[in-house]
């Protein structure tokens, strides 16, 4: 195509026109996309209700979706807004809210909202009230390349006004609904990719039939080289009837295995009626191969007779393979034996799984035996596979005798762990019913509170077990946290194996479209206490996590009922876990002085250091004087570089991170070189906000 265009361009006589056409064509070619093509849209505009209204910021009316205008001045509770053409309007600042547009740098801080301390020195789970794109950018400082698993349940884009784009609900009538959703997801997934460990991590994204084809293509484009599989999960076996459609019983989950990551084997394959990890049995394999490449002509060397003694019914030898054209009658059958052949159910010739030599070795060791057999040449031969033989060698399986054929009798050792297997790509378990173990369970924790379509706790638990079941110190992130199921599931895993996994949840504090209309009609606005207390974070996510950990409902009553399945115990026991609740705030770089900014960025330093133990959030000492440095068992902050010797000398041996506040690269390098080898040095600018600026462009 490019060559044809070049030929056609040469036919244009006007040199200037030819040059202009060439430039235009190159511009179009540079924008051409392959694979999933969609309108990228400008990034969403974000309202910042906590940001102070001052000269130079851009604002909109609280209850309108108008275009942003610049604040020219603020005086006596009124802001002068500058419109197009230089027109001005004075508006009460109570009617306005600051907005952040694409490319406009903003400065995040974290405000502590409360904590739960029940887990001794374990890392704390973190629950953040934030717009998730900005939270993902802030987490680049704390967790870039350090997250082991991300589990998200994003908006399904059903057209039911369940999510916003550019501060407006997206419904079924929006002609750009799919491309807006893809643009919305692409920006977040690209940031999520930077947080995941590139060598070994897993991303799980749940979705339904509305967007799963497009999501699959988007994941392939962003996570090139990763292994991607889609799992179908039965969440409502009775089915949900829909007009002119099949009854829906399932949803989907994409598993993206990055680097060397692979599914963790578990005791339940999540599909078969009886879990394949049944510890009471040892599996004998059928010698007859089934499935693909199971015909004689596929492997002629594995077609041969197995001889069964008529006298005692034991395997007493084998024939040798012959060319595929040789009839069965060409083999010599010794007297007193019956030949059993690899004959399939339809009467065609198949093949065995092992060579004659290896089968004779198995027979000699008692690792093969005969099942049913007859004079017609059909029969069943059983043998112990290599995995079982390895378990015998490791004493997981014990030989307790021999049977009448001379074959070993085996059983699992009393202290052997259940056999594990890789989960299937179709999950069908009552534990995954979203109504019973999602909505109903949430009502048990939070009576009289509703949340649309919460996930089954046990479905999320099973998904995370596949991802981080073998990583007791994994970091799990969910930036579409909703009702907080992911953190709850991580706590369940920790209780089962004594792990110290840490979850990080991010959710905004949006109210539903219907709730927003009711609140506005009552005279409330975003940022008002009445409005905020009805948001997802305050009304659902935070109280659900609190209830799960403490064992008490928001009303202070002991939670009734018990957990089911893998680990059954009363919900009122709670969990021995720590939790920190935070809110992402937007700092004013003009108004914030150095000593006042530290409290807002302190949680970011604590999170980067592992999120365990106390948090250093005070820049001043008890006398109101600036501290030269401060420590916890896990990290330290050097505020005054002139005191670096004392800082290095007093830094606890258990500390893993040292934050050094200096604008000088050489000073930072010198101090970093003096730190113990196991301590990671991180530079902070003297103006802390410079370190954490986000939203400068996608």
């Amino acid at each position: 195509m490019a060559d044809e265009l070049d030929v056609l361009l040469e036919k244009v006589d006007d040199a200037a026109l030819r040059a202009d056409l060439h430039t235009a064509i190159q511009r179009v070619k540079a924008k051409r996309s392959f694979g999933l093509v969609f309108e990228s849209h400008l990034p969403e505009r974000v309202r910042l209700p906590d940001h102070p209204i001052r000269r130079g910021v851009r604002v909109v009316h609280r209850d309108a979706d108008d275009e942003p205008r610049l604040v020219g001045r603020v005086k006596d509770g009124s802001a002068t807004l500058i419109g197009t053409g230089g027109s001005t309007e004075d508006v009460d600042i109570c009617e306005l809210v600051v907005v952040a547009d694409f490319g406009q740098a903003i400065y995040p801080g974290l405000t502590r909202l409360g904590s739960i301390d029940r887990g001794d020195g374990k890392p704390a789970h973190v629950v953040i009230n934030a717009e998730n794109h900005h939270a993902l950018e802030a987490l680049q400082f704390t967790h870039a390349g350090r997250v082991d698993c991300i589990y998200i349940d994003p908006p399904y884009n059903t057209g039911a006004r369940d999510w916003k784009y550019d501060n407006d609900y997206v419904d079924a009538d929006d002609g750009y609904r799919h491309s807006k959703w893809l643009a919305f997801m692409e920006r977040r997934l690209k940031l999520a990719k930077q947080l995941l460990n590139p060598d070994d991590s897993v991303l799980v994204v749940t979705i339904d039939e509305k967007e799963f084809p497009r999501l699959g293509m988007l994941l392939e484009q962003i996570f090139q080289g990763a292994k991607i599989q889609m799992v179908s999960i039965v969440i409502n076996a009775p089915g949900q009837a829909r007009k002119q459609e099949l009854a829906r019983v399932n949803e989907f989950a994409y598993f993206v295995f990055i680097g060397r990551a692979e599914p963790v084997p578990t005791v339940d394959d999540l599909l078969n009626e009886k879990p394949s990890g049944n510890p009471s049995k040892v599996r004998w394999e059928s010698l007859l191969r089934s499935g693909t490449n199971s015909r004689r002509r596929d492997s002629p060397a594995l077609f041969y007779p197995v001889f069964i003694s008529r006298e005692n019914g034991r395997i007493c030898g084998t024939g040798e393979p012959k060319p595929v054209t040789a009839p069965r009658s060409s083999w010599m059958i010794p007297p007193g034996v019956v030949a059993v052949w690899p004959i399939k159910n339809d009467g065609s010739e198949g093949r065995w799984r092992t060579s004659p030599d290896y089968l004779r070795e198995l027979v000699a060791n008692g690792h093969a035996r005969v099942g049913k057999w007859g004079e017609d040449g059909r029969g069943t031969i059983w043998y112990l596979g290599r995995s079982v033989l390895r378990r015998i060698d490791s004493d997981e399986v014990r030989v307790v005798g021999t049977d009448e054929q001379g074959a070993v009798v085996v059983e699992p050792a009393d202290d052997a762990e259940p056999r594990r297997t890789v989960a299937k790509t179709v999950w069908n378990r009552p534990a995954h019913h979203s109504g019973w173990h999602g909505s109903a369970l949430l009502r048990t924790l939070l009576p009289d509170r509703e949340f649309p379509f919460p996930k089954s706790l046990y479905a999320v638990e099973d998904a995370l077990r596949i991802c981080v079941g073998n990583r007791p110190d994994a970091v799990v992130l969910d930036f579409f946290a909703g009702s907080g199921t992911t953190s709850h599931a991580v706590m369940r895993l920790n209780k089962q194996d004594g792990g110290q996994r840490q979850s990080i949840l991010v959710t905004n504090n949006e109210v539903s479209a219907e709730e927003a209309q009711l609140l506005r009609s009552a005279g409330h606005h975003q940022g008002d206490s009445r409005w905020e207390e009805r948001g997802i974070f305050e009304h659902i996510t935070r109280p659900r996590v609190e209830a799960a950990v403490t064992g008490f409902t928001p009303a202070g009553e002991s939670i009734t009922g018990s957990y089911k399945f893998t680990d059954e115990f009363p919900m009122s026991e709670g969990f021995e876990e720590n939790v920190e609740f935070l809110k992402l705030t937007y700092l004013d770089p003009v108004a914030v002085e150095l000593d006042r900014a530290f409290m807002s960025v302190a949680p970011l330093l604590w999170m980067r250091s592992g999120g365990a133990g106390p948090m250093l959030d005070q820049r001043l000492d008890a006398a109101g004087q600036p501290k030269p440095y401060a420590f916890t068992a896990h990290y330290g902050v050097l505020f005054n570089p002139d005191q670096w010797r004392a800082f290095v000398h007093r830094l606890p041996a258990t500390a893993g991170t040292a934050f050094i506040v200096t604008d000088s690269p050489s000073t930072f390098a010198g101090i970093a070189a003096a730190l113990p080898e196991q301590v990671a040095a991180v530079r902070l600018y003297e103006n802390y906000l410079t370190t954490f600026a986000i939203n400068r462009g996608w």
Side-chain angles (χ1 to χ4, degrees):
M1 182 66 179
D3 293 340
E4 294 177 9
L5 288 173
D6 291 338
V7 171
L8 292 172
L9 281 174
E10 291 302 320
K11 295 181 179 180
V12 177
D13 294 331
D14 189 321
L17 176 60
R18 185 167 63 248
D20 289 343
L21 288 172
H22 177 77
T23 300
I25 290 171
Q26 293 302 314
R27 188 180 300 116
V28 172
K29 287 166 63 178
K31 292 183 178 180
R32 186 176 180 183
S33 300
F34 295 89
L36 182 63
V37 181
F38 58 92
E39 294 285 341
S40 60
H41 299 283
L42 287 177
E44 312 96 87
R45 178 179 300 150
V46 179
R47 296 191 174 206
L48 313 177
D50 296 327
H51 197 290
I53 295 177
R54 58 170 177 78
R55 184 174 181 271
V57 301
R58 294 168 65 80
V59 297
V60 295
H61 284 83
R62 281 183 177 272
D63 298 323
D65 190 26
D66 50 335
E67 284 300 310
R69 287 185 287 175
L70 189 69
V71 175
R73 71 171 184 172
V74 176
K75 185 177 181 180
D76 299 329
S78 178
T80 300
L81 308 186
I82 302 174
T84 56
S87 62
T88 62
E89 178 188 6
D90 291 334
V91 180
D92 192 321
I93 60 173
C94 294
E95 300 297 321
L96 302 173
V97 61
V98 176
V99 295
D101 283 328
F102 171 61
Q104 175 189 350
I106 57 179
Y107 301 90
L110 289 171
T111 299
R112 301 181 71 180
L113 302 177
S115 61
I116 303 173
D117 301 303
R118 299 189 80 206
D120 293 327
K122 296 171 66 173
H125 303 276
V126 180
V127 187
I128 306 174
N129 174 1
E131 194 284 323
N132 61 7
H133 189 281
H134 289 169
L136 287 169
E137 289 192 299
L139 289 173
Q140 300 300 321
F141 172 78
T142 65
H143 283 83
R146 297 170 56 192
V147 174
D148 299 294
C149 174
I150 293 178
Y151 178 100
I152 54 173
D153 180 35
Y156 284 5
N157 201 21
T158 62
R161 295 170 62 84
D162 60 342
W163 68 289
K164 284 183 174 182
Y165 192 93
D166 197 12
N167 202 50
D168 191 20
Y169 284 102
V170 179
D171 57 28
D173 296 329
D174 191 324
Y176 292 96
R177 173 159 62 99
H178 296 296
S179 62
K180 284 182 178 178
W181 186 86
L182 286 166
F184 170 87
M185 289 297 297
E186 181 187 42
R187 283 191 284 275
R188 287 155 178 80
L189 287 172
K190 284 183 175 180
L191 288 171
K193 181 180 180 180
Q194 297 174 40
L195 295 175
L196 287 163
N197 180 348
D199 299 321
D200 188 356
S201 59
V202 187
L203 166 69
V204 184
V205 188
T206 60
I207 199 68
D208 73 358
E209 71 274 14
K210 298 293 191 300
E211 293 290 359
F212 84 88
R214 284 171 281 268
L215 175 61
M217 294 183 68
L218 181 62
L219 291 172
E220 287 180 351
Q221 289 186 184
I222 295 175
F223 296 92
Q224 296 182 27
K227 299 181 182 68
I228 303 176
Q229 284 187 288
M230 188 179 75
V231 173
S232 179
I233 306 174
V234 177
I235 61 171
N236 179 17
Q240 181 182 7
R242 295 178 175 180
K243 186 177 181 180
Q244 293 184 301
E245 295 182 14
L246 301 175
R248 179 193 174 214
V249 302
N250 68 320
E251 66 180 14
F252 307 103
Y254 280 102
F255 281 73
V256 182
F257 297 98
I258 299 167
R260 60 177 179 274
E262 59 185 11
V264 177
T266 63
V267 298
D268 187 355
D269 67 15
L270 301 178
L271 171 63
N272 295 309
E273 185 175 351
K274 291 184 178 181
S276 55
N278 187 343
S280 65
K281 295 182 179 180
V282 177
R283 179 182 175 86
W284 287 75
E285 308 280 352
S286 172
L287 190 66
L288 178 65
R289 182 180 176 88
S290 61
T292 58
N293 299 318
S294 62
R295 297 167 296 181
R296 177 182 179 182
R297 64 174 177 268
D298 295 324
S299 298
L302 297 179
F303 182 86
Y304 55 87
V306 177
F307 300 141
I308 311 299
S309 170
R310 294 179 184 275
E311 180 180 352
N312 57 26
R314 296 186 178 190
I315 300 174
C316 58
T318 70
E320 294 298 324
K322 291 187 177 185
V324 70
T325 55
R328 277 176 266 165
S329 59
S330 65
W331 270 269
M332 294 294 295
I333 309 301
V337 304
V338 171
V340 172
W341 303 87
I343 305 300
K344 300 169 77 69
N345 289 335
D346 61 4
S348 62
E349 294 180 336
R351 70 173 181 88
W352 301 122
R353 289 178 177 270
T354 69
S355 67
D357 288 341
Y358 186 63
L359 178 58
R360 289 192 288 266
E361 179 184 334
L362 290 170
V363 172
N365 293 326
H367 297 158
R369 58 184 173 86
V370 183
K372 293 182 179 181
W373 57 278
E375 298 289 341
D376 61 353
R378 296 190 183 191
T380 304
I381 311 296
W382 300 101
Y383 75 104
L384 294 176
R386 297 183 187 275
S387 63
V388 174
L389 297 181
R390 286 193 295 268
R391 294 172 69 202
I392 292 175
D393 291 338
S394 64
D395 293 329
E396 296 177 65
V397 171
R398 294 173 182 168
V399 177
V400 296
T402 57
D403 63 14
E404 67 278 2
Q405 294 188 27
V408 296
V409 177
V410 290
E411 61 183 30
D414 293 338
D415 56 352
E417 291 189 4
R419 185 183 177 193
R420 297 176 180 273
T421 187
V422 174
K424 309 299 185 185
T425 54
V426 175
W427 299 359
N428 187 13
R429 287 286 177 268
H432 299 165
H433 193 290
S434 60
W436 303 336
H437 307 300
S439 300
L441 187 145
L442 187 61
R443 283 193 296 271
T444 300
L445 300 168
L446 306 178
D448 303 323
R449 301 194 187 191
E450 296 290 336
F451 181 81
F453 312 117
K455 286 281 181 289
S456 161
L457 170 63
Y458 309 109
V460 179
E461 179 184 323
D462 284 335
L464 294 179
R465 186 178 290 108
I466 290 168
C467 300
V468 295
N470 60 351
R471 302 184 194 180
D473 57 352
V475 176
V476 179
L477 170 64
D478 182 351
F479 53 89
F480 286 101
S483 68
T485 308
T486 300
S487 184
H488 201 163
V490 171
M491 295 176 194
R492 288 259 306 165
L493 291 181
N494 283 346
K495 186 177 185 299
Q496 291 162 23
D497 62 9
Q500 298 194 46
R501 299 173 186 85
Q502 180 190 36
S503 65
I504 302 173
L505 303 188
V506 179
T507 183
N508 59 32
N509 202 40
E510 289 282 357
V511 300
S512 67
E514 295 77 11
E515 186 84 23
Q517 186 174 358
L518 291 173
L519 288 168
R520 286 196 183 98
S521 64
H524 301 292
H525 308 278
Q526 185 179 9
D528 295 349
S529 59
R530 178 57 180 164
W531 183 294
E532 296 301 318
E533 70 183 18
R534 300 296 296 180
I536 295 173
F537 175 89
E538 292 292 351
H539 194 60
I540 300 293
T541 317
R542 178 178 177 176
R544 190 259 180 84
V545 174
E546 290 176 333
V549 177
T550 64
F552 292 93
T553 69
E557 298 176 353
S558 181
I559 298 173
T560 60
S562 296
Y563 293 108
K564 301 180 183 296
F565 310 110
T566 305
D567 189 14
E568 300 185 12
F569 62 95
M571 294 185 189
S572 59
E573 288 185 8
F575 295 93
E576 295 180 354
E577 301 283 352
N578 302 315
V579 187
E580 187 76 27
F581 298 99
L582 303 169
K583 180 180 181 180
L584 187 70
T585 56
Y586 301 92
L587 306 177
D588 184 350
V590 174
V592 176
E593 299 174 358
L594 180 140
D595 291 342
R596 292 170 56 195
F598 180 73
M599 184 179 292
S600 295
V601 301
L604 293 167
L605 310 187
W606 172 79
M607 289 179 65
R608 177 156 179 161
S609 304
M615 184 186 301
L616 297 174
D617 58 2
Q618 296 296 327
R619 173 69 176 87
L620 306 178
D621 61 21
Q625 298 301 310
K627 299 176 182 178
Y629 47 76
F631 307 104
T632 73
H634 300 281
Y635 70 106
V637 182
L638 174 61
F639 299 104
N640 184 351
D642 293 337
Q643 298 288 327
W644 70 269
R645 289 182 176 83
F647 174 78
V648 173
H649 177 71
R650 296 187 59 190
L651 189 69
T654 55
T657 309
F659 297 96
I660 301 168
V661 182
T662 177
D663 285 347
S664 169
S666 59
T667 298
F668 170 75
I671 298 172
L675 290 168
E677 184 176 351
Q678 76 277 9
V679 177
V682 180
R683 180 183 171 193
L684 299 179
Y685 291 96
E686 292 182 31
N687 179 352
Y688 302 116
L689 300 182
T690 306
T691 307
F692 305 104
I694 63 173
N695 198 45
R696 292 184 173 181
W698 283 266

